[in-house]
Amino acid sequence: MSGTIWVGIGGWTFEPWRDNFYPKGWAKARELEYASTHVTAIEINGTFYSTQKPATWADWAKRTPDDFVFSVKASRFCTNRRVLCDGAESIDKFINQGLSELGPKLGPILWQFAGTKQFDPEDIAGFLEMLPRSIDGVPLRHAIEPRHESFRDPAFVELARKANVAIVFADSDKYPQFADLTADFTYARLQNTRADEPTGYSAKALDAWAETAKAWAAGRAPEGYAYIDPPAASLGKPRDAFLFLIAGAKERNPAGAMALIERLG
């Protein structure tokens, strides 16, 4: 048995993609429709900076295929604060802006911490407790992305597992990598695409990512990664897996995502 694997990109509006991804002359208003039929997921990043109206969320859901999902990056007002537990009001505002209009197309919510945010067990525990499990009857899944080495602590992994919250796996030269499996899904952000590779990552690298994704979906912990606290007790359970080619040489990310989807069959 295996979970579902979704592969996508960050957003759908990027000027260089009009030269190498979207057909020439393709209407800007229909870029989401095109992108959502060539990748299987999109991470919405604009929500980090501003809220959207419920009608906008409903429109996005209407214009995408039935088996497509969006992940949503949480507002900076929730995560860019010294004490995360002080952000209850911001979390409530973010969650209730209309996300439930996506219905079954709502994938994980990404809570990305500032690079200066250090691990504080009490604060992180309180933050995880504030994350709602559903909104208007729509189940919510949460992924947190720490960007400081202090989170490389077994206590952090234990807190995430207890809350069934995924720790983001980041392939990045700038930020630490956390490979531990802590939830019933995995969330990876592949940020090292290169402009000199037509697909961002080399064919060999894409082959390796495909194998990693398959391992995650099958409930296995892939070899070759540094685990803080090996998840032996939770292995064997199929997991949904979300992989996004994001940042890096952004102009290459759609081609890389499509090449990875092809490898996954």
Side-chain angles (χ1 to χ4, degrees):
M1 296 180 62
S2 178
T4 301
I5 301 173
W6 281 276
V7 179
I9 53 179
W12 58 88
T13 302
F14 185 54
E15 188 65 37
W17 292 347
R18 293 170 187 142
D19 294 326
N20 67 4
F21 177 41
Y22 296 117
K24 186 175 182 179
W26 189 265
K28 294 181 181 180
R30 297 183 60 206
E31 288 177 344
L32 174 58
E33 296 171 39
Y34 185 89
S36 63
T37 58
H38 288 76
V39 298
T40 56
I42 283 177
E43 182 184 285
I44 302 175
N45 305 123
T47 45
F48 182 72
Y49 302 100
S50 60
T51 58
Q52 304 293 328
K53 296 179 180 179
T56 299
W57 293 99
D59 181 59
W60 290 343
K62 182 179 179 180
R63 292 196 284 129
T64 51
D66 291 342
D67 57 352
F68 185 83
V69 297
F70 294 95
S71 70
V72 185
K73 190 173 182 179
S75 168
R76 56 184 169 163
F77 295 108
C78 301
T79 57
N80 283 4
R81 49 176 69 239
R82 187 176 64 84
V83 181
L84 294 170
C85 288
D86 290 344
E89 184 176 343
S90 294
I91 290 175
D92 183 70
K93 180 180 179 181
F94 168 76
I95 293 293
N96 286 285
Q97 65 180 286
L99 273 65
S100 61
E101 295 291 338
L102 292 179
K105 295 182 183 181
L106 177 60
I109 297 173
L110 169 64
W111 305 85
Q112 184 186 83
F113 298 158
T116 53
K117 176 62 181 175
Q118 298 187 36
F119 178 52
D120 178 331
E122 184 176 347
D123 189 31
I124 295 300
F127 174 77
L128 294 177
E129 289 178 3
M130 291 193 301
L131 301 182
R133 298 302 160 188
S134 65
I135 180 69
D136 297 331
V138 178
L140 299 179
R141 289 186 281 189
H142 303 284
I144 54 178
E145 184 177 15
R147 291 184 154 186
H148 194 278
E149 286 287 348
S150 61
F151 281 85
R152 197 170 295 284
D153 186 320
F156 171 54
V157 176
E158 182 179 355
L159 286 172
R161 285 190 182 140
K162 183 179 179 180
N164 192 35
V165 168
I167 301 174
V168 171
F169 177 101
D171 181 48
S172 169
D173 292 333
K174 298 179 180 179
Y175 305 108
Q177 185 177 96
F178 299 89
D180 293 79
L181 306 178
T182 57
D184 57 7
F185 71 98
T186 60
Y187 196 108
R189 303 180 86 232
L190 311 184
Q191 303 170 62
N192 276 333
T193 50
R194 305 197 316 264
D196 60 351
E197 283 283 356
T199 54
Y201 282 96
S202 68
K204 182 178 180 180
L206 289 172
D207 289 342
W209 287 125
E211 291 306 310
T212 292
K214 291 175 182 177
W216 284 331
R220 301 195 309 272
E223 297 181 358
Y225 299 117
Y227 295 94
I228 302 168
D229 185 19
S234 61
L235 289 180
K237 299 178 181 178
R239 288 175 165 84
D240 289 343
F242 298 83
L243 296 91
F244 295 94
L245 279 75
I246 198 160
K250 188 173 179 178
E251 69 274 16
R252 300 299 190 193
N253 291 348
M258 290 187 291
L260 182 53
I261 290 170
E262 183 178 0
R263 283 165 168 76
L264 291 167

